[in-house]
Amino acid sequence: MLKKQLIMERALELFARHGFEATSVQQITEHCGISKGAFYLSFKSKDELIIALIDHFMMQITSEIDHIVRNTKDDEQLLYHFYYAIYHSFHKHSDFAKVLIKEQSQTFNKELILKMQYYDKLTENTILSMIERLYGEEVKQTKYDLMYCIKGFMNTYSQLFVFYNVPLDLKLLAESLVEKTNLLARHTTVPFISQELIEIVKQPMNGEITKEQILEIIRQRIEEIEEPIEKESLILLQGQLLEPTLPPVIVKGLLENIRNHPHCKWISYLLRRYYNF
Amino acid sequence: MLKKQLIMERALELFARHGFEATSVQQITEHCGISKGAFYLSFKSKDELIIALIDHFMMQITSEIDHIVRNTKDDEQLLYHFYYAIYHSFHKHSDFAKVLIKEQSQTFNKELILKMQYYDKLTENTILSMIERLYGEEVKQTKYDLMYCIKGFMNTYSQLFVFYNVPLDLKLLAESLVEKTNLLARHTTVPFISQELIEIVKQPMNGEITKEQILEIIRQRIEEIEEPIEKESLILLQGQLLEPTLPPVIVKGLLENIRNHPHCKWISYLLRRYYNF
DNA sequence: TATAATAATGACTACTGGGTCATTTGTCAA
DNA sequence: TTGACAAATGACCCAGTAGTCATTATTATA
C-alpha cells in the first residue's frame, strides 16, 4: 500500500512535467527507484495508475468543495469560501491541476472520460445548489448560465497558477470573483444556457453510486487506515449500512469523526448524500 | 501544393476525432489514399504538419477577429460583432477548434507552445484595444481583468459546440455575452489581474515579425494564388516593402484588394500592423 | 535453522510508430 | 521511341513502448 502511494506521488510529478502519454512506465519506475515488475505489482496497467490518481484527487477536491458549501452558514460568506476553497485546493494539488488541465478530456480511454464527466456533474450540482440558496427565485431563468460562468471563472483563473509560478493572493482572487458572480447573478437578463440546453447536453449520468460500491470503498479504507477513531467509526458505519440500527444523530456523529481524515473525505461525502444529510 | 492541402484537410479530421498523438502517419496516409512516402514529400515530419495546421487556422481566425474589431464603426455593435465573429469562426472550423481544445498546450514541442503564446498575445491585444475603445478611462484599473474574463467566456462557451453537436443560436450567445461583458466592465471594482501581474506573467514576446518574414510569406502567396487582382496587389506590396515609393493611400487600397482572399488575410493583417494603419 | 510464502527484479517479448530510401511508375521533350 | 527527370511507393529500419515471467532476494513462520 505504501509502494502504491510512492508510485502515485512520483508519477504525478512526471505527468505534470511531461504529460501522461509522454511519460513511460520505465521513467516512472526509475524516478521511484523500483523495478518495472514492482510497478505492475501495484497497478495492473498504466491506465489504472492515472485512474487511481484522478479518483484520489477528484474525490478530495469534490468532497471538500461540497463540504464547504454545505457547512458555511453565513450566506454573505458562502461564495467567498467557495472560491477560496477551490483555488486553495488547486494550489495545494498544483501538480494534479496541471495534469488535469494538460490532459483535459484528452483522448485517453472511455472509462476516464466518463469518470471526469461524473465528477464534473457533481461539481455542477454543488454550484447549482449554492446558486439556488444564494439567489433563489431571482435567478430562475439564468441559473444554468450563471453556473456555467462560475465554472468558466474556475477554469480560466486557475490556469494562472498552473502555468506560472507566481505567488497569487488567493483572498483577493476570491473576493474579485465574488463581486463578478454577484454582478452577473443580480443583473443578467439574457441567459444563454437554458434548462433545455442542459438537458440536451448532459449525458445520461452514469448511475448513482450503489450501497455495494460504498461498502467496497469502506472496506478498502478500513484496511489502510490506522487511526483508531476513524477506523472504528468506519466499522460502525459499515455495520449500519448492512443493517441499520443506529439513530441518525449517531450516524452523523460518526461521519463527523472521519470527515477530516484525508482518506475518508470521499466516503463521508458519499454517505452524506446517501443519508440525505 | 494540392497534395499538401489534401493531407491537411484529412489529417485534421483524424486529429479532431482521435487527437494528435493518437493518430499515426500511417492512418493519415490511408485516409488520404496516398503512400507514406508521399506524406514526407509534403511535410518533413508529423510535427511540421500540426504546425502548418495551427498556423493556417490561427492566422485566419486571428486576423478575422482583428479586422472585425478595427472595422466596426458603431461602438454599440462592436462587442456583439466580436463575439459573433469568434463563435462563427469556431463553428466554421469546428474540427480545428476540437484539436485546439483537446491538445491545449499539450506537451508537444517547444516551437508550438511559443507559437500558441504568440497567437494568444495577438488576441489579447485585440481584446484590450476593444476594451479601451469601448470603456476608456472607466476601466483603467480593471481592463486586464476584463480581458481575462472575455477570454474565459470565449473558452468556456466554445466547449459547447466543440463537444456537443447541438445547433446553437450564435446570435443569442453573442447577445448574452455582450450583456455579461458590459456588466463586468461597468461595475467591477475589485480587479484581480493587475497591470503588474500581466507584466510578470507574460513571457518576453518572441519578437515582432520582421520585414524579411513578411516578404517571405508574400513570396509564397504570390506563387500559390491565381486570381489576377490579388496576385498583382501582392506583387506591388512586395515592391513597396523592398523600396517604398507608393503613397499610403494606395498601399491601403492594395490591402483592401487582398483582404477578402482566404489566403491573404494574414498578410493583410501583418501589413496593417507594419504600416500602423 | 530450515522451509514456506511473499516481494522484487530486469531481461525479454510483442508490437507500434516515425522516418528512410532503393525501386517503380509516370511525364514529357527530343 | 528513347532517355532524363520528377513523383510516388511501401518494405524496411530502429527506437521506444507496455506488459510478462522465470529467477532471485527478503521476510515470516515453524
Side-chain angles (χ1 to χ4, degrees):
Chain A
M1 193 90 313
L2 273 178
K3 187 62 59 62
K4 213 164 174 170
Q5 252 162 276
L6 171 74
I7 294 174
M8 284 170 73
E9 271 172 37
R10 299 312 206 100
L12 184 63
E13 289 167 24
L14 295 180
F15 290 163
R17 215 156 343 135
H18 312 296
F20 175 71
E21 299 277 2
T23 305
S24 69
V25 175
Q26 194 86 259
Q27 286 170 285
I28 296 172
T29 56
E30 273 164 23
H31 194 60
C32 293
I34 61 172
S35 70
K36 208 166 175 191
F39 175 91
Y40 285 95
L41 289 177
S42 293
F43 296 95
K44 275 207 276 297
S45 67
K46 196 183 163 191
D47 273 4
E48 202 184 270
L49 166 61
I50 188 74
I51 288 176
L53 276 171
I54 290 195
D55 267 336
H56 177 79
F57 286 100
M58 287 310 291
M59 283 173 183
Q60 258 191 262
I61 296 174
T62 309
S63 49
E64 177 99 6
I65 305 301
D66 188 75
H67 178 260
I68 295 273
V69 171
R70 280 173 196 266
N71 289 274
T72 301
K73 299 289 173 243
D74 183 359
D75 280 7
E76 208 55 46
Q77 292 285 299
L78 179 54
L79 260 181
Y80 178 83
H81 285 322
F82 167 79
Y83 279 121
Y84 190 86
I86 282 187
Y87 291 111
H88 186 74
S89 268
F90 287 171
H91 185 71
K92 196 162 100 200
H93 311 300
S94 72
D95 266 352
F96 176 70
K98 264 175 213 153
V99 175
L100 211 63
I101 290 185
K102 271 193 180 166
E103 241 62 35
Q104 167 151 349
S105 87
Q106 196 49 18
T107 324
F108 47 25
N109 79 61
K110 208 89 191 176
E111 188 186 346
L112 259 193
I113 293 178
L114 285 177
K115 218 168 239 320
M116 289 313 302
Q117 280 175 358
Y118 171 69
Y119 287 116
D120 197 54
K121 201 84 210 154
L122 291 181
T123 307
E124 285 189 1
N125 286 342
T126 301
I127 296 177
L128 270 179
S129 78
M130 180 173 70
I131 293 176
E132 277 159 7
R133 173 174 151 201
L134 285 181
Y135 310 108
E137 275 297 299
E138 203 184 340
V139 293
K140 199 172 151 206
Q141 302 301 320
T142 58
K143 65 181 173 185
Y144 296 104
D145 212 54
L146 188 56
M147 184 260 284
Y148 225 73
C149 287
I150 293 177
K151 278 176 66 183
F153 287 145
M154 285 167 52
N155 285 320
T156 306
Y157 283 84
S158 64
Q159 310 227 348
L160 275 174
F161 17 150
V162 171
F163 291 120
Y164 311 98
N165 275 359
V166 193
L168 295 182
D169 181 348
L170 293 194
K171 287 178 186 170
L172 180 62
L173 174 55
E175 207 188 319
S176 173
L177 292 181
V178 167
E179 189 193 41
K180 290 182 179 61
T181 308
N182 276 325
L183 275 172
L184 293 178
R186 302 242 160 78
H187 301 102
T188 299
T189 62
V190 189
F192 177 68
I193 317 264
S194 58
Q195 164 93 48
E196 189 193 18
L197 191 58
I198 288 276
E199 300 289 340
I200 297 172
V201 157
K202 84 167 162 218
Q203 318 282 26
M205 165 93 152
N206 49 326
E208 279 298 296
I209 283 218
T210 66
K211 194 171 83 178
E212 279 62 39
Q213 287 173 290
I214 299 184
L215 278 170
E216 177 52 35
I217 301 179
I218 292 187
R219 227 167 286 136
Q220 280 174 24
R221 289 292 175 280
I222 289 177
E223 279 193 26
E224 69 187 45
I225 284 176
E226 267 135 34
E227 293 82 345
I229 293 181
E230 279 85 350
K231 198 172 186 125
E232 230 174 295
S233 302
L234 279 175
I235 292 170
L236 283 173
L237 286 166
Q238 187 182 31
Q240 174 71 4
L241 269 176
L242 292 167
E243 200 173 344
T245 52
L246 305 170
V249 62
I250 290 185
V251 176
K252 222 168 167 174
L254 293 173
L255 286 181
E256 222 29 60
N257 285 342
I258 61 171
R259 205 185 63 64
N260 276 315
H261 191 291
H263 289 174
C264 291
K265 294 195 170 173
W266 185 245
I267 274 296
S268 131
Y269 171 69
L270 289 181
L271 287 172
R272 262 190 333 257
R273 282 170 60 100
Y274 184 79
Y275 287 120
N276 255 319
F277 285 155
Chain B
M1 192 90 313
L2 273 178
K3 184 66 55 66
K4 213 164 173 171
Q5 251 162 279
L6 170 73
I7 294 174
M8 284 171 72
E9 272 172 35
R10 298 314 205 100
L12 184 64
E13 290 168 22
L14 296 180
F15 290 163
R17 215 158 340 136
H18 313 295
F20 175 70
E21 299 278 1
T23 305
S24 69
V25 174
Q26 194 85 261
Q27 286 170 287
I28 296 171
T29 56
E30 273 164 23
H31 194 62
C32 292
I34 62 172
S35 71
K36 209 168 173 188
F39 175 91
Y40 284 94
L41 289 177
S42 293
F43 297 96
K44 276 206 276 297
S45 66
K46 197 185 166 193
D47 273 4
E48 202 183 271
L49 167 61
I50 188 74
I51 288 176
L53 277 171
I54 290 195
D55 266 336
H56 177 78
F57 286 101
M58 286 309 290
M59 284 174 183
Q60 258 190 262
I61 295 174
T62 310
S63 48
E64 177 101 4
I65 303 302
D66 188 75
H67 179 260
I68 295 271
V69 171
R70 280 173 195 268
N71 289 274
T72 301
K73 299 290 173 242
D74 183 359
D75 281 7
E76 209 53 47
Q77 292 284 299
L78 180 53
L79 260 182
Y80 177 84
H81 284 321
F82 167 80
Y83 279 121
Y84 190 87
I86 283 187
Y87 292 111
H88 186 73
S89 268
F90 287 172
H91 186 73
K92 196 162 101 199
H93 311 301
S94 72
D95 267 352
F96 176 71
K98 264 175 213 151
V99 174
L100 211 61
I101 289 184
K102 271 193 182 168
E103 241 62 34
Q104 169 151 348
S105 87
Q106 196 50 15
T107 324
F108 46 26
N109 78 62
K110 208 86 192 178
E111 189 186 346
L112 259 192
I113 293 178
L114 286 177
K115 220 169 236 322
M116 289 313 302
Q117 281 175 357
Y118 172 69
Y119 287 115
D120 198 54
K121 202 84 212 155
L122 292 181
T123 307
E124 285 189 0
N125 286 341
T126 302
I127 295 177
L128 269 179
S129 79
M130 179 173 71
I131 293 175
E132 277 160 7
R133 173 174 149 200
L134 285 181
Y135 310 109
E137 275 297 298
E138 202 184 341
V139 293
K140 199 172 151 206
Q141 301 301 321
T142 59
K143 64 182 175 186
Y144 295 104
D145 211 55
L146 189 56
M147 184 261 282
Y148 225 72
C149 287
I150 293 177
K151 278 176 67 183
F153 287 146
M154 285 167 52
N155 285 321
T156 306
Y157 284 84
S158 65
Q159 309 225 349
L160 276 173
F161 19 147
V162 170
F163 291 119
Y164 311 99
N165 275 358
V166 192
L168 296 182
D169 182 347
L170 292 194
K171 287 178 186 168
L172 179 62
L173 174 55
E175 207 187 320
S176 174
L177 291 181
V178 167
E179 188 193 41
K180 289 182 179 64
T181 308
N182 277 325
L183 275 172
L184 293 178
R186 302 241 160 78
H187 300 103
T188 299
T189 62
V190 189
F192 176 69
I193 316 262
S194 58
Q195 163 92 50
E196 189 193 19
L197 192 58
I198 287 276
E199 299 290 339
I200 297 172
V201 157
K202 84 167 162 222
Q203 319 282 28
M205 166 91 154
N206 49 327
E208 280 298 296
I209 283 217
T210 66
K211 196 170 83 176
E212 280 62 39
Q213 287 173 291
I214 299 183
L215 277 169
E216 178 51 36
I217 302 178
I218 292 187
R219 226 168 286 135
Q220 282 175 24
R221 290 292 174 278
I222 289 177
E223 278 193 26
E224 68 187 46
I225 285 174
E226 267 136 35
E227 293 82 345
I229 292 181
E230 278 85 350
K231 199 175 186 120
E232 231 172 296
S233 301
L234 279 175
I235 292 170
L236 284 173
L237 285 166
Q238 188 181 33
Q240 174 71 6
L241 269 176
L242 293 167
E243 200 174 345
T245 52
L246 304 169
V249 62
I250 291 187
V251 176
K252 224 169 167 176
L254 293 172
L255 287 180
E256 221 30 58
N257 285 342
I258 61 172
R259 206 185 62 64
N260 276 314
H261 191 289
H263 289 173
C264 291
K265 293 195 171 172
W266 186 245
I267 275 294
S268 131
Y269 171 70
L270 288 180
L271 286 172
R272 262 193 329 260
R273 282 171 59 99
Y274 183 80
Y275 287 119
N276 255 321
F277 285 153

